[in-house]
Amino acid sequence: MTFSTNIILKLITILTCLFLAFNCKSSYNKRNTVNLIRQPYLQNAFKDSISILWITNKGKKAIVKYGTSKVLDKVAHGFITKDSLKLRNTVSIKGLDRGKKYYYAIYTDDKRLASGEDYFFKTESAEKNASFSFYAMGDIGEPINKGGFPEITSWQIHNLKKHPDFTRLRRHHLSRWKKRFRRCLSF
């Protein structure tokens, strides 16, 4: 081999090592990053408490930051349980004021996974005998676009003269409906 061939081979070896090192690190980071598998959903809503749950691929700490404005000045800690190959994050918030709207953000291992104007809930009215209206729809397994039942239903609710006070739809259906439901979402 000539001198220039040795240099070229060494350069190729160095570049190959750098390429492999970068790709291995990138693959390692993807496997070891907390990823949100299911958007948050609300459970056990009472007059002064609520539980927020979400599913991730990994994690050790479940945290919710919340507040009555978009400044999330309170923190609640929860727990994570293994559910098959997924991890269920659960945080219960207690001591809530009645008749308030609370915004929240979810965190797993200090990584914010979801937040924003669409992440809020309202507590029970402070009035003792207040009436309310609601609409609930579960996962019916139909497509959410192209004229499926969920799409038709979302337009029907949107076109009501008076929107329900409380609407409960599975959040993964809402990604396409957020703008239409924004006024009546309160979960």
Side-chain angles (χ1 to χ4, degrees):
M1 274 199 242
T2 65
F3 177 72
S4 62
T5 307
N6 281 339
I7 292 175
I8 292 173
L9 287 175
K10 286 180 183 179
L11 186 59
I12 290 172
T13 303
I14 291 170
L15 290 174
T16 302
C17 289
L18 288 173
F19 175 77
L20 290 174
F22 175 76
N23 281 336
C24 289
K25 184 177 180 184
S26 175
S27 176
Y28 175 80
N29 286 340
K30 287 179 184 176
R31 285 192 313 266
N32 289 302
T33 300
V34 175
N35 294 311
L36 184 62
I37 294 174
R38 180 168 180 204
Q39 290 285 327
Y41 55 100
L42 305 175
Q43 297 281 314
N44 304 324
F46 296 103
K47 64 183 177 185
D48 63 349
S49 65
I50 196 162
S51 294
I52 303 175
L53 294 83
W54 65 96
I55 296 175
T56 58
N57 64 324
K58 63 177 295 170
K60 293 184 179 2
K61 295 188 309 185
I63 300 167
V64 170
K65 293 183 181 178
Y66 65 100
T68 54
S69 71
K70 293 179 183 172
V71 176
L72 308 177
D73 57 350
K74 296 180 173 119
V75 178
H77 298 270
F79 58 91
I80 297 178
T81 53
K82 188 168 182 164
D83 182 15
S84 184
L85 298 175
K86 304 172 209 160
L87 298 175
R88 185 175 310 277
N89 296 249
T90 304
V91 176
S92 295
I93 304 172
K94 299 179 184 194
L96 299 169
D97 294 327
R98 292 175 73 174
K100 299 276 183 170
K101 181 176 183 177
Y102 286 90
Y103 294 91
Y104 67 92
I106 60 167
Y107 294 78
T108 299
D109 291 351
D110 300 319
K111 179 182 179 187
R112 186 177 64 207
L113 299 173
S115 65
E117 66 183 38
D118 292 324
Y119 295 90
F120 68 87
F121 59 88
K122 292 180 183 175
T123 54
E124 180 180 311
S125 174
E127 296 177 32
K128 187 173 184 175
N129 294 318
S131 63
F132 67 94
S133 61
F134 71 94
Y135 180 82
M137 185 167 98
D139 184 1
I140 58 173
E142 286 197 26
I144 63 169
N145 55 7
K146 299 180 183 170
F149 180 75
E151 184 74 10
I152 293 167
T153 305
S154 72
W155 278 110
Q156 291 171 338
I157 293 171
H158 175 71
N159 292 328
L160 290 173
K161 288 181 183 175
K162 181 178 179 340
H163 289 160
D165 297 313
F166 176 78
T167 301
R168 176 62 179 118
L169 298 168
R170 291 188 60 153
R171 183 162 290 280
H172 68 272
H173 288 306
L174 293 178
S175 61
R176 296 180 58 97
W177 302 351
K178 285 180 184 173
K179 290 184 177 137
R180 278 180 263 158
F181 279 112
R182 190 159 288 147
R183 281 189 230 124
C184 63
L185 288 176
S186 59
F187 61 94

